[in-house]
Amino acid sequence: MMNTNLQDYSHKRYNILTGEWVLVSPHRAKRPWQGQNEAIANENRPLYDPSCYLCAGNTRINGENNPDYKDVFVFTNDFAALQKDSPKFSVNEGLLRAESEQGICKVICFSPDHSKSLADMAVADIHKVVSTWQKEYLTLGSNEMINYVQIFENKGAVMGCSNPHPHGQIWSQSTLPNEVYKKNEHQKAYYKNNNRSLLEDYLKQELKADERILYQNDSFVVLTPFWAVWPFETMIIPKKHHRHIAEISEEESLGFADAISKITRAYDHLFQCSFPYSSGIHQAPTNNDLNSHWHWHMSFYPPLLRSASVKKFMVGYEMFGSPQRDITAEQAADRLRELIVL
Ligand SMILES: [Zn+2]
């Protein structure tokens, strides 16, 4: 049983993957739940939108035509943040430092159906998305220039997503981005000292405690991490120590699709809305190292706090100090667990 002080008094929790702390203030959330569960009028989107640049058959801004795709469709981002052919250079002038960065950015349409999100899709169709992620990780990763592949989704206008068509992105680049760099260092140190994966051991402890587990199938666990920052943040972790998404079996990838389906549906039920979030997969770099310390996982960072219309802002103390939350990871887990439909 966990120390009850964690549910009563201000404290900070350590993120074993990044080495950062989150301030938790459970006393502020002691008041009974006042979340408004009013149903937000779900915008009824059409199956096809002639003005959507991701719908099948439509013309994108750069003049290319999308094919008449039937399930998943991937293309190179027309407005990529990273350039494939940028020259290699570095700037070292006194205290001013810069490095060139090369990369390839792709867009992945999850479905031709403009009205759907992952939460509305059948597990078999989410499985096709998973297979595409695996393929892209391997293909992009095999490129000599690419040392890291970041798969992510921004869902909802509140997350800055400019198009409601179900889609995600894959940015691949020559160096490790900040979050991955931190996780790489912490997993490497743990593996060196214990000869086991950090998340494998964390998962064992979480399954034993059974306080933050939302759902599990044969291959995956969905949980609220002990150090969650966002009010309803969750993680999907493979039970077996795999370094990256392409290492899992066909059966496991179906289990992954099932886990994604379960958590995204629970999210939609939480505030009766198409739940916004940023989700992403962190996995082994595609450099030439063995990367045995890596245990890949997917995280969901949703911005909503109390209802579909109350957003959590990272401002003030959180900008200048540390992230802070009121409801504890355990309270969030209790609410989400009830909404998992088996
Ligand atoms: Zn569309």
Side-chain angles (χ1 to χ4, degrees), residues 110-121:
F110 298 152
S111 161
D113 186 338
H114 184 84
S115 71
K116 284 206 163 103
S117 71
L118 286 174
D120 311 312
M121 286 166 60

Side-chain angles (χ1 to χ4, degrees), residues 144-244:
E144 196 55 39
M145 169 185 80
I146 301 298
N147 291 311
Y148 186 71
V149 179
Q150 182 59 56
I151 294 167
F152 66 97
E153 177 189 4
N154 275 336
K155 182 184 170 224
V158 70
M159 297 309 289
C161 180
S162 52
N163 187 323
H165 193 107
H167 72 286
Q169 301 190 52
I170 305 172
W171 290 16
S172 60
Q173 62 189 99
S174 44
T175 66
L176 301 192
N178 298 348
E179 289 302 299
V180 183
Y181 179 84
K182 286 182 270 182
K183 289 189 173 184
N184 188 53
E185 294 301 302
H186 285 85
Q187 290 184 100
K188 193 189 278 176
Y190 189 89
Y191 192 81
K192 195 176 164 219
N193 289 332
N194 302 279
N195 209 28
R196 287 188 311 276
S197 117
L198 173 61
L199 282 185
E200 193 178 355
D201 283 359
Y202 172 65
L203 213 46
K204 264 185 213 148
Q205 191 173 339
E206 282 289 11
L207 287 166
K208 188 159 173 253
D210 198 17
E211 287 172 318
R212 286 165 295 276
I213 307 292
L214 308 180
Y215 173 71
Q216 59 173 311
N217 56 34
D218 287 345
S219 322
F220 286 83
V221 175
V222 185
L223 55 77
T224 302
F226 180 69
W227 53 83
V229 164
W230 295 96
F232 294 98
E233 179 176 336
T234 58
M235 270 175 103
I236 303 179
I237 309 175
K239 287 182 174 174
K240 272 198 194 155
H241 174 195
H242 292 302
R243 296 169 299 169
H244 52 76

Side-chain angles (χ1 to χ4, degrees), residues 22 32 40 67 83 108 136 154 176-177 212 257 260 271 316-317 322:
V22 52
I40 292 291
Q83 299 163 290
I108 165 171
E136 290 296 330
N154 275 336
L176 301 192
R212 286 165 295 276
I260 291 173
F271 299 132
Y317 180 80
S322 294

